[in-house]
Amino acid sequence: MTHLRPHPQGPLVGVRVVELAALGPVPFAGMLLSDMGADVVRIDRAGLSVEQRARARNNVMNRGRRSVALDLKSPSGQAAAHRMMAQVDVLMEGFRPGAAERLGLAPQQCLEANPRLVYGRMSGWGQAAPNRGEPGHDINFLAASGLLDTIGTEDSGPVPPLMYLGDFAGGGLTLALAIVSALVERATSGRGQVIDASILDGTAQLGIVVQGATARGTWHPQRGTNAFDTGAPYYNVYACRDGRHLAVGAVEPEFYANLLRVLGLTDISAEGQNDRSSWPALKLRIAELIRSRDLADWVAAFQGVEACVTPVLDIDEAMRDQRFHAPDAYVDYDGVRQSAPTPRFSRTPSGVNRPSPLPGEHSEQVLREYGFDDDAIGRLVDDRIEQ
């Protein structure tokens, strides 16, 4: 189970991480590591405006960390960062390739000072990509990975799935896994290493099933004509009379038979489930049937029936749901309803140990822990490194 903890607890307790403030994948990875007990300190920019500080404070993805404000473009800020790097297990940065080097935080420099350091680099295109210096966002990496072309219906064109697949799944999750893997390897070798993670590479790897199907000739390149991309009538989302939606995933023959039975389609043989020639007409029939009743009616009709049919919940409904979600799947913390740390560990439970910090909120506390004396801390603060 996962709980709120006054002190860090989880499988990564004792691991010290420095996260250089960035967007998207790096803060998501930092949240995951912090949820699992790591002591994650984020280095934020100094001199942020009141509005910028408030936005950071209100971003629940920043939960669990402490924040130090350093001007990494100044010699004193760089020296302070180097002093911290020499004492931690992990550094995460999400700059464009070459930016860390310009700030004096090149991997080689950090590893020379701390040979056990796991240096996690996250970029959009990758450190070795031909276009590594170009800007980009989630939608651009999805497009270049080939995944965006697979998402959507036959008529819709490619549909961007927010930032879930690129920034978080392909980026942040991949980076967090790589960091933990490098820590495991370090336990044997005693040596750190550099991780080159990119949103593009991680996202492309999520398409491994489609890549394999393409190689076998079983993937139809036309969007919305395959079994799992809304092509099949038994794997689709249908609109109800009240404008709500029903998700149907009746893939297995027995579930498909139950779907046909509840819908009253007695003239349709379950044995013809994968007859592609019948799919377009059957999708229209099912759509018409489901559109004839409200979502609540269909939920009641499929109650207790094994047909893999589920109401499409909005985010608020999902966070309040008691049918599908475990009781501790969401937590109310710092006034915000949010996902609890996951997965669940039987012996070393994870937890949220503090709210999202104001940038620079813990500068004095953290710098003191890293061996800075009062004079050094005073100089850093006087240099407007803490606002």
Side-chain angles (χ1 to χ4, degrees):
M1 296 179 67
T2 54
H3 301 280
L4 300 177
R5 300 290 185 184
H7 303 290
Q9 183 168 337
L12 295 182
V13 164
V15 174
R16 302 177 85 182
V17 180
V18 166
E19 169 193 337
L20 302 184
L23 299 175
V26 169
F28 188 67
M31 183 196 78
L32 296 176
L33 298 177
S34 173
D35 284 350
M36 294 186 185
D39 177 16
V40 182
V41 172
R42 193 178 70 237
I43 295 182
D44 282 300
R45 287 194 300 115
L48 295 177
S49 67
V50 173
E51 292 77 16
Q52 289 171 320
R53 283 165 56 85
R55 283 199 298 270
R57 175 71 175 85
N58 294 328
N59 183 351
V60 296
M61 193 165 60
N62 290 335
R63 72 189 187 191
R65 273 91 105 195
R66 293 182 293 170
S67 171
V68 174
L70 294 178
D71 180 4
L72 293 180
K73 294 183 179 180
S74 72
S76 60
Q78 291 176 9
H82 270 287
R83 188 166 173 177
M84 295 177 68
M85 302 310 161
Q87 303 177 56
V88 300
D89 300 289
V90 179
L91 167 67
M92 297 190 298
E93 63 97 349
F95 303 131
R96 287 197 209 178
E101 285 80 355
R102 290 192 294 272
L103 293 173
L105 296 171
Q108 297 83 349
Q109 292 175 275
C110 294
L111 283 167
E112 284 175 7
N114 181 0
R116 290 175 56 83
L117 180 69
V118 173
Y119 192 119
R121 315 197 77 175
M122 170 56 68
S123 62
W125 306 105
Q127 303 293 326
N131 64 328
R132 56 188 174 275
E134 293 180 6
H137 284 291
D138 187 284
I139 193 170
N140 307 117
F141 310 126
L142 281 177
S145 73
L147 262 65
L148 184 57
D149 189 59
T150 68
I151 302 171
T153 67
E154 197 171 2
D155 303 319
S156 69
V159 178
L162 294 182
M163 71 296 294
Y164 304 135
L165 288 183
D167 280 356
F168 296 156
L173 275 171
T174 300
L175 176 60
L177 172 62
I179 287 171
V180 172
S181 300
L183 290 173
V184 171
E185 190 279 336
R186 191 188 70 175
T188 300
S189 69
R191 300 171 58 193
Q193 59 183 304
V194 181
I195 298 167
D196 175 9
S198 79
I199 302 175
L200 176 62
D201 292 345
T203 302
Q205 193 172 57
L206 297 175
I208 193 72
V209 171
V210 175
Q211 294 164 11
T214 299
R216 295 191 303 272
T218 58
W219 180 263
H220 296 255
Q222 185 179 359
R223 188 183 313 102
T225 61
N226 297 280
F228 299 105
D229 67 352
T230 75
Y234 55 79
Y235 200 90
N236 218 316
V237 176
Y238 295 98
C240 302
R241 182 172 58 190
D242 55 3
R244 301 299 303 275
H245 290 82
L246 198 67
V248 174
V251 177
E252 290 76 10
E254 62 272 26
F255 301 154
Y256 182 59
N258 289 337
L259 172 71
L260 297 178
R261 176 175 56 80
V262 174
L263 292 177
L265 294 172
T266 57
D267 60 316
I268 302 296
S269 171
E271 295 180 358
Q273 178 179 3
N274 290 308
D275 176 7
R276 289 176 177 268
S277 65
S278 69
W279 284 1
L282 185 53
K283 278 197 296 185
L284 291 175
R285 285 190 65 184
I286 293 177
E288 184 177 0
L289 280 169
I290 292 178
R291 196 164 41 238
S292 69
R293 300 168 66 179
D294 292 344
L295 177 63
D297 298 328
W298 288 118
V299 170
F302 281 99
Q303 183 70 34
V305 177
E306 293 190 340
C308 297
V309 175
T310 314
V312 176
L313 304 180
D314 62 30
I315 292 292
D316 185 65
E317 288 173 326
M319 291 193 295
R320 306 295 171 185
D321 170 72
Q322 296 181 352
R323 177 183 175 188
F324 304 108
H325 295 84
D328 61 349
Y330 295 92
V331 293
D332 291 294
Y333 191 61
D334 197 33
V336 179
R337 187 76 168 168
Q338 56 195 273
S339 290
T342 189
R344 296 168 177 82
F345 294 87
S346 65
R347 189 171 53 80
T348 56
S350 303
V352 183
N353 61 81
R354 55 171 54 90
S356 303
L358 282 170
E361 180 178 348
H362 307 97
S363 291
E364 183 175 346
Q365 176 193 70
V366 171
L367 291 173
R368 197 174 304 281
E369 289 178 11
Y370 278 81
F372 292 82
D373 60 24
D374 290 342
D375 289 341
I377 293 172
R379 287 193 298 271
L380 292 172
V381 173
D382 289 341
D383 285 341
R384 297 179 58 79
I385 289 174
E386 181 177 9
Q387 298 293 317

